[in-house]
mmCIF file of all heavy atoms in Angstrom:
data_model
loop_
_atom_site.group_PDB
_atom_site.id
_atom_site.type_symbol
_atom_site.label_atom_id
_atom_site.label_comp_id
_atom_site.label_asym_id
_atom_site.label_seq_id
_atom_site.Cartn_x
_atom_site.Cartn_y
_atom_site.Cartn_z
ATOM 1 N N THR A 596 97.546 81.916 92.884
ATOM 2 C CA THR A 596 98.264 83.157 93.177
ATOM 3 C C THR A 596 99.104 83.571 91.974
ATOM 4 O O THR A 596 99.391 82.772 91.080
ATOM 5 C CB THR A 596 99.204 82.989 94.382
ATOM 6 O OG1 THR A 596 100.215 82.016 94.068
ATOM 7 C CG2 THR A 596 98.441 82.540 95.618
ATOM 8 N N THR A 597 99.487 84.835 91.956
ATOM 9 C CA THR A 597 100.490 85.320 91.015
ATOM 10 C C THR A 597 101.463 86.189 91.802
ATOM 11 O O THR A 597 101.047 86.988 92.653
ATOM 12 C CB THR A 597 99.850 86.093 89.847
ATOM 13 O OG1 THR A 597 100.853 86.396 88.873
ATOM 14 C CG2 THR A 597 99.185 87.379 90.289
ATOM 15 N N ASP A 598 102.728 86.010 91.547
ATOM 16 C CA ASP A 598 103.762 86.652 92.357
ATOM 17 C C ASP A 598 104.353 87.853 91.626
ATOM 18 O O ASP A 598 105.212 87.708 90.757
ATOM 19 C CB ASP A 598 104.855 85.637 92.687
ATOM 20 C CG ASP A 598 105.863 86.182 93.703
ATOM 21 O OD1 ASP A 598 105.662 87.322 94.180
ATOM 22 O OD2 ASP A 598 106.835 85.467 94.003
ATOM 23 N N TYR A 599 103.894 89.047 91.997
ATOM 24 C CA TYR A 599 104.435 90.261 91.399
ATOM 25 C C TYR A 599 105.763 90.679 92.026
ATOM 26 O O TYR A 599 106.399 91.630 91.566
ATOM 27 C CB TYR A 599 103.425 91.405 91.524
ATOM 28 C CG TYR A 599 102.246 91.295 90.576
ATOM 29 C CD1 TYR A 599 101.219 92.229 90.601
ATOM 30 C CD2 TYR A 599 102.150 90.256 89.651
ATOM 31 C CE1 TYR A 599 100.128 92.133 89.740
ATOM 32 C CE2 TYR A 599 101.066 90.155 88.796
ATOM 33 C CZ TYR A 599 100.057 91.099 88.843
ATOM 34 O OH TYR A 599 98.994 90.999 87.988
ATOM 35 N N ASN A 600 106.181 89.959 93.053
ATOM 36 C CA ASN A 600 107.499 90.237 93.624
ATOM 37 C C ASN A 600 108.621 89.772 92.707
ATOM 38 O O ASN A 600 109.786 90.123 92.931
ATOM 39 C CB ASN A 600 107.633 89.575 94.994
ATOM 40 C CG ASN A 600 106.729 90.215 96.033
ATOM 41 O OD1 ASN A 600 106.697 91.443 96.170
ATOM 42 N ND2 ASN A 600 105.973 89.405 96.749
ATOM 43 N N ILE A 601 108.288 88.984 91.687
ATOM 44 C CA ILE A 601 109.304 88.559 90.722
ATOM 45 C C ILE A 601 109.979 89.784 90.113
ATOM 46 O O ILE A 601 111.202 89.899 90.088
ATOM 47 C CB ILE A 601 108.677 87.680 89.631
ATOM 48 C CG1 ILE A 601 108.206 86.355 90.220
ATOM 49 C CG2 ILE A 601 109.676 87.444 88.496
ATOM 50 C CD1 ILE A 601 107.403 85.512 89.245
ATOM 51 N N GLU A 602 109.169 90.703 89.605
ATOM 52 C CA GLU A 602 109.716 91.938 89.046
ATOM 53 C C GLU A 602 109.609 93.110 90.014
ATOM 54 O O GLU A 602 110.288 94.130 89.845
ATOM 55 C CB GLU A 602 109.038 92.300 87.723
ATOM 56 C CG GLU A 602 107.595 92.775 87.832
ATOM 57 C CD GLU A 602 106.574 91.664 87.848
ATOM 58 O OE1 GLU A 602 106.892 90.561 88.341
ATOM 59 O OE2 GLU A 602 105.453 91.891 87.377
ATOM 60 N N GLY A 603 108.752 92.978 91.027
ATOM 61 C CA GLY A 603 108.585 94.057 91.996
ATOM 62 C C GLY A 603 108.166 95.343 91.330
ATOM 63 O O GLY A 603 107.163 95.398 90.616
ATOM 64 N N ALA A 604 108.943 96.387 91.525
ATOM 65 C CA ALA A 604 108.641 97.686 90.917
ATOM 66 C C ALA A 604 109.257 97.834 89.532
ATOM 67 O O ALA A 604 109.047 98.852 88.868
ATOM 68 C CB ALA A 604 109.139 98.811 91.822
ATOM 69 N N ALA A 605 109.993 96.821 89.083
ATOM 70 C CA ALA A 605 110.643 96.892 87.771
ATOM 71 C C ALA A 605 109.669 96.440 86.688
ATOM 72 O O ALA A 605 109.786 95.356 86.120
ATOM 73 C CB ALA A 605 111.905 96.038 87.760
ATOM 74 N N VAL A 606 108.713 97.293 86.391
ATOM 75 C CA VAL A 606 107.660 96.987 85.421
ATOM 76 C C VAL A 606 108.048 97.539 84.053
ATOM 77 O O VAL A 606 108.553 98.655 83.930
ATOM 78 C CB VAL A 606 106.314 97.588 85.868
ATOM 79 C CG1 VAL A 606 105.221 97.307 84.840
ATOM 80 C CG2 VAL A 606 105.915 97.032 87.231
ATOM 81 N N GLY A 607 107.784 96.744 83.001
ATOM 82 C CA GLY A 607 107.981 97.223 81.640
ATOM 83 C C GLY A 607 109.437 97.434 81.288
ATOM 84 O O GLY A 607 110.271 96.533 81.429
ATOM 85 N N TYR A 608 109.771 98.636 80.811
ATOM 86 C CA TYR A 608 111.141 98.915 80.376
ATOM 87 C C TYR A 608 112.145 98.725 81.500
ATOM 88 O O TYR A 608 113.319 98.402 81.262
ATOM 89 C CB TYR A 608 111.249 100.324 79.779
ATOM 90 C CG TYR A 608 111.045 101.453 80.765
ATOM 91 C CD1 TYR A 608 112.107 102.006 81.463
ATOM 92 C CD2 TYR A 608 109.775 101.981 80.995
ATOM 93 C CE1 TYR A 608 111.921 103.049 82.358
ATOM 94 C CE2 TYR A 608 109.577 103.014 81.879
ATOM 95 C CZ TYR A 608 110.653 103.547 82.569
ATOM 96 O OH TYR A 608 110.451 104.570 83.466
ATOM 97 N N LYS A 609 111.706 98.912 82.735
ATOM 98 C CA LYS A 609 112.615 98.725 83.868
ATOM 99 C C LYS A 609 113.041 97.267 83.988
ATOM 100 O O LYS A 609 114.200 96.960 84.291
ATOM 101 C CB LYS A 609 111.938 99.202 85.154
ATOM 102 C CG LYS A 609 111.594 100.678 85.140
ATOM 103 C CD LYS A 609 110.786 101.084 86.365
ATOM 104 C CE LYS A 609 110.360 102.539 86.279
ATOM 105 N NZ LYS A 609 109.504 102.937 87.421
ATOM 106 N N TRP A 610 112.090 96.345 83.752
ATOM 107 C CA TRP A 610 112.404 94.921 83.751
ATOM 108 C C TRP A 610 113.374 94.586 82.618
ATOM 109 O O TRP A 610 114.344 93.841 82.795
ATOM 110 C CB TRP A 610 111.120 94.112 83.609
ATOM 111 C CG TRP A 610 111.309 92.652 83.357
ATOM 112 C CD1 TRP A 610 111.232 92.010 82.167
ATOM 113 C CD2 TRP A 610 111.592 91.632 84.325
ATOM 114 N NE1 TRP A 610 111.445 90.660 82.314
ATOM 115 C CE2 TRP A 610 111.667 90.405 83.631
ATOM 116 C CE3 TRP A 610 111.781 91.640 85.711
ATOM 117 C CZ2 TRP A 610 111.930 89.194 84.273
ATOM 118 C CZ3 TRP A 610 112.043 90.433 86.350
ATOM 119 C CH2 TRP A 610 112.119 89.230 85.644
ATOM 120 N N PHE A 611 113.120 95.140 81.434
ATOM 121 C CA PHE A 611 113.985 94.882 80.289
ATOM 122 C C PHE A 611 115.392 95.422 80.537
ATOM 123 O O PHE A 611 116.387 94.779 80.194
ATOM 124 C CB PHE A 611 113.364 95.484 79.024
ATOM 125 C CG PHE A 611 112.312 94.608 78.410
ATOM 126 C CD1 PHE A 611 111.068 94.451 79.009
ATOM 127 C CD2 PHE A 611 112.573 93.917 77.238
ATOM 128 C CE1 PHE A 611 110.101 93.628 78.456
ATOM 129 C CE2 PHE A 611 111.616 93.092 76.663
ATOM 130 C CZ PHE A 611 110.378 92.941 77.278
ATOM 131 N N ASP A 612 115.490 96.608 81.136
ATOM 132 C CA ASP A 612 116.803 97.159 81.487
ATOM 133 C C ASP A 612 117.505 96.279 82.514
ATOM 134 O O ASP A 612 118.706 95.988 82.406
ATOM 135 C CB ASP A 612 116.655 98.573 82.061
ATOM 136 C CG ASP A 612 116.399 99.624 80.997
ATOM 137 O OD1 ASP A 612 116.478 99.287 79.797
ATOM 138 O OD2 ASP A 612 116.113 100.776 81.363
ATOM 139 N N LEU A 613 116.760 95.873 83.516
ATOM 140 C CA LEU A 613 117.325 95.087 84.616
ATOM 141 C C LEU A 613 117.882 93.757 84.119
ATOM 142 O O LEU A 613 118.946 93.303 84.552
ATOM 143 C CB LEU A 613 116.245 94.847 85.674
ATOM 144 C CG LEU A 613 116.663 94.148 86.967
ATOM 145 C CD1 LEU A 613 117.605 95.022 87.765
ATOM 146 C CD2 LEU A 613 115.424 93.811 87.801
ATOM 147 N N LYS A 614 117.156 93.128 83.210
ATOM 148 C CA LYS A 614 117.547 91.811 82.716
ATOM 149 C C LYS A 614 118.395 91.861 81.441
ATOM 150 O O LYS A 614 118.882 90.822 80.978
ATOM 151 C CB LYS A 614 116.293 90.972 82.447
ATOM 152 C CG LYS A 614 115.482 90.680 83.705
ATOM 153 C CD LYS A 614 116.293 89.852 84.697
ATOM 154 C CE LYS A 614 115.522 89.542 85.948
ATOM 155 N NZ LYS A 614 116.313 88.735 86.908
ATOM 156 N N GLY A 615 118.569 93.038 80.879
ATOM 157 C CA GLY A 615 119.359 93.156 79.667
ATOM 158 C C GLY A 615 118.669 92.615 78.425
ATOM 159 O O GLY A 615 119.322 92.289 77.427
ATOM 160 N N HIS A 616 117.336 92.548 78.458
ATOM 161 C CA HIS A 616 116.590 92.070 77.297
ATOM 162 C C HIS A 616 116.494 93.171 76.237
ATOM 163 O O HIS A 616 116.293 94.344 76.571
ATOM 164 C CB HIS A 616 115.165 91.669 77.687
ATOM 165 C CG HIS A 616 115.084 90.495 78.602
ATOM 166 N ND1 HIS A 616 115.914 89.402 78.498
ATOM 167 C CD2 HIS A 616 114.245 90.220 79.647
ATOM 168 C CE1 HIS A 616 115.605 88.515 79.428
ATOM 169 N NE2 HIS A 616 114.601 88.982 80.142
ATOM 170 N N LYS A 617 116.590 92.791 74.987
ATOM 171 C CA LYS A 617 116.388 93.738 73.891
ATOM 172 C C LYS A 617 114.972 93.566 73.365
ATOM 173 O O LYS A 617 114.628 92.523 72.803
ATOM 174 C CB LYS A 617 117.392 93.503 72.772
ATOM 175 C CG LYS A 617 117.261 94.531 71.646
ATOM 176 C CD LYS A 617 118.292 94.308 70.548
ATOM 177 C CE LYS A 617 118.125 95.350 69.438
ATOM 178 N NZ LYS A 617 119.111 95.144 68.336
ATOM 179 N N PRO A 618 114.122 94.565 73.517
ATOM 180 C CA PRO A 618 112.731 94.430 73.052
ATOM 181 C C PRO A 618 112.630 94.590 71.548
ATOM 182 O O PRO A 618 113.589 95.003 70.881
ATOM 183 C CB PRO A 618 112.024 95.581 73.774
ATOM 184 C CG PRO A 618 113.086 96.631 73.894
ATOM 185 C CD PRO A 618 114.375 95.884 74.124
ATOM 186 N N LEU A 619 111.463 94.277 71.033
ATOM 187 C CA LEU A 619 111.195 94.544 69.622
ATOM 188 C C LEU A 619 111.191 96.053 69.395
ATOM 189 O O LEU A 619 111.821 96.558 68.457
ATOM 190 C CB LEU A 619 109.855 93.933 69.229
ATOM 191 C CG LEU A 619 109.470 94.007 67.759
ATOM 192 C CD1 LEU A 619 110.440 93.189 66.905
ATOM 193 C CD2 LEU A 619 108.034 93.506 67.553
ATOM 194 N N PHE A 620 110.468 96.779 70.263
ATOM 195 C CA PHE A 620 110.478 98.244 70.273
ATOM 196 C C PHE A 620 110.442 98.704 71.727
ATOM 197 O O PHE A 620 109.647 98.190 72.522
ATOM 198 C CB PHE A 620 109.267 98.818 69.525
ATOM 199 C CG PHE A 620 109.288 98.583 68.047
ATOM 200 C CD1 PHE A 620 108.442 97.641 67.470
ATOM 201 C CD2 PHE A 620 110.153 99.291 67.222
ATOM 202 C CE1 PHE A 620 108.452 97.406 66.107
ATOM 203 C CE2 PHE A 620 110.168 99.062 65.851
ATOM 204 C CZ PHE A 620 109.321 98.118 65.288
ATOM 205 N N PRO A 621 111.262 99.689 72.091
ATOM 206 C CA PRO A 621 111.319 100.124 73.488
ATOM 207 C C PRO A 621 110.213 101.112 73.848
ATOM 208 O O PRO A 621 109.623 101.769 72.977
ATOM 209 C CB PRO A 621 112.690 100.790 73.582
ATOM 210 C CG PRO A 621 112.936 101.327 72.205
ATOM 211 C CD PRO A 621 112.297 100.325 71.261
ATOM 212 N N PHE A 622 109.949 101.203 75.115
ATOM 213 C CA PHE A 622 109.057 102.218 75.666
ATOM 214 C C PHE A 622 109.499 103.599 75.193
ATOM 215 O O PHE A 622 110.692 103.928 75.170
ATOM 216 C CB PHE A 622 109.117 102.146 77.201
ATOM 217 C CG PHE A 622 108.420 103.261 77.918
ATOM 218 C CD1 PHE A 622 107.051 103.210 78.155
ATOM 219 C CD2 PHE A 622 109.128 104.356 78.394
ATOM 220 C CE1 PHE A 622 106.409 104.233 78.831
ATOM 221 C CE2 PHE A 622 108.495 105.380 79.075
ATOM 222 C CZ PHE A 622 107.129 105.318 79.296
ATOM 223 N N GLY A 623 108.527 104.429 74.793
ATOM 224 C CA GLY A 623 108.835 105.794 74.363
ATOM 225 C C GLY A 623 109.205 105.935 72.906
ATOM 226 O O GLY A 623 109.389 107.047 72.406
ATOM 227 N N TYR A 624 109.297 104.818 72.185
ATOM 228 C CA TYR A 624 109.764 104.827 70.800
ATOM 229 C C TYR A 624 108.690 105.355 69.849
ATOM 230 O O TYR A 624 107.498 105.125 70.032
ATOM 231 C CB TYR A 624 110.159 103.414 70.389
ATOM 232 C CG TYR A 624 110.673 103.277 68.974
ATOM 233 C CD1 TYR A 624 112.006 103.529 68.669
ATOM 234 C CD2 TYR A 624 109.821 102.877 67.947
ATOM 235 C CE1 TYR A 624 112.483 103.387 67.367
ATOM 236 C CE2 TYR A 624 110.286 102.732 66.643
ATOM 237 C CZ TYR A 624 111.615 102.990 66.357
ATOM 238 O OH TYR A 624 112.081 102.855 65.080
ATOM 239 N N GLY A 625 109.132 106.031 68.813
ATOM 240 C CA GLY A 625 108.237 106.503 67.759
ATOM 241 C C GLY A 625 108.995 107.358 66.766
ATOM 242 O O GLY A 625 109.811 108.201 67.168
ATOM 243 N N LEU A 626 108.747 107.144 65.488
ATOM 244 C CA LEU A 626 109.411 107.898 64.427
ATOM 245 C C LEU A 626 108.530 109.047 63.960
ATOM 246 O O LEU A 626 107.375 109.172 64.360
ATOM 247 C CB LEU A 626 109.726 106.969 63.253
ATOM 248 C CG LEU A 626 110.584 105.740 63.562
ATOM 249 C CD1 LEU A 626 110.717 104.863 62.321
ATOM 250 C CD2 LEU A 626 111.953 106.151 64.090
ATOM 251 N N SER A 627 109.098 109.861 63.070
ATOM 252 C CA SER A 627 108.401 111.026 62.529
ATOM 253 C C SER A 627 108.739 111.163 61.061
ATOM 254 O O SER A 627 109.694 110.553 60.566
ATOM 255 C CB SER A 627 108.831 112.283 63.301
ATOM 256 O OG SER A 627 108.324 113.463 62.698
ATOM 257 N N TYR A 628 107.959 111.958 60.345
ATOM 258 C CA TYR A 628 108.284 112.277 58.962
ATOM 259 C C TYR A 628 109.300 113.410 58.874
ATOM 260 O O TYR A 628 109.704 113.802 57.778
ATOM 261 C CB TYR A 628 107.025 112.681 58.188
ATOM 262 C CG TYR A 628 106.002 111.582 58.019
ATOM 263 C CD1 TYR A 628 104.655 111.892 57.818
ATOM 264 C CD2 TYR A 628 106.364 110.243 58.037
ATOM 265 C CE1 TYR A 628 103.694 110.900 57.644
ATOM 266 C CE2 TYR A 628 105.417 109.241 57.877
ATOM 267 C CZ TYR A 628 104.078 109.576 57.686
ATOM 268 O OH TYR A 628 103.139 108.588 57.522
ATOM 269 N N THR A 629 109.683 113.958 60.018
ATOM 270 C CA THR A 629 110.740 114.962 60.052
ATOM 271 C C THR A 629 111.810 114.484 61.022
ATOM 272 O O THR A 629 111.781 113.340 61.490
ATOM 273 C CB THR A 629 110.177 116.345 60.449
ATOM 274 O OG1 THR A 629 111.191 117.331 60.287
ATOM 275 C CG2 THR A 629 109.684 116.360 61.882
ATOM 276 N N SER A 630 112.768 115.323 61.353
ATOM 277 C CA SER A 630 113.851 114.948 62.270
ATOM 278 C C SER A 630 114.035 116.044 63.308
ATOM 279 O O SER A 630 113.708 117.219 63.069
ATOM 280 C CB SER A 630 115.156 114.715 61.505
ATOM 281 O OG SER A 630 115.509 115.867 60.746
ATOM 282 N N PHE A 631 114.547 115.656 64.469
ATOM 283 C CA PHE A 631 114.726 116.596 65.571
ATOM 284 C C PHE A 631 116.128 116.459 66.166
ATOM 285 O O PHE A 631 116.707 115.365 66.168
ATOM 286 C CB PHE A 631 113.699 116.343 66.680
ATOM 287 C CG PHE A 631 112.270 116.472 66.225
ATOM 288 C CD1 PHE A 631 111.527 115.350 65.895
ATOM 289 C CD2 PHE A 631 111.676 117.718 66.115
ATOM 290 C CE1 PHE A 631 110.215 115.455 65.476
ATOM 291 C CE2 PHE A 631 110.357 117.842 65.685
ATOM 292 C CZ PHE A 631 109.627 116.709 65.360
ATOM 293 N N ALA A 632 116.635 117.560 66.661
ATOM 294 C CA ALA A 632 117.924 117.572 67.364
ATOM 295 C C ALA A 632 117.710 118.119 68.767
ATOM 296 O O ALA A 632 116.957 119.083 68.959
ATOM 297 C CB ALA A 632 118.940 118.424 66.609
#
Side-chain angles (χ1 to χ4, degrees):
T596 63
T597 187
D598 188 3
Y599 286 178
N600 292 311
I601 293 172
E602 71 274 31
V606 178
Y608 67 90
K609 298 174 184 177
W610 170 260
F611 278 72
D612 283 352
L613 185 67
K614 296 297 180 180
H616 294 322
K617 183 179 180 181
L619 185 65
F620 292 106
F622 171 84
Y624 180 84
L626 303 176
S627 172
Y628 295 155
T629 188
S630 56
F631 300 98

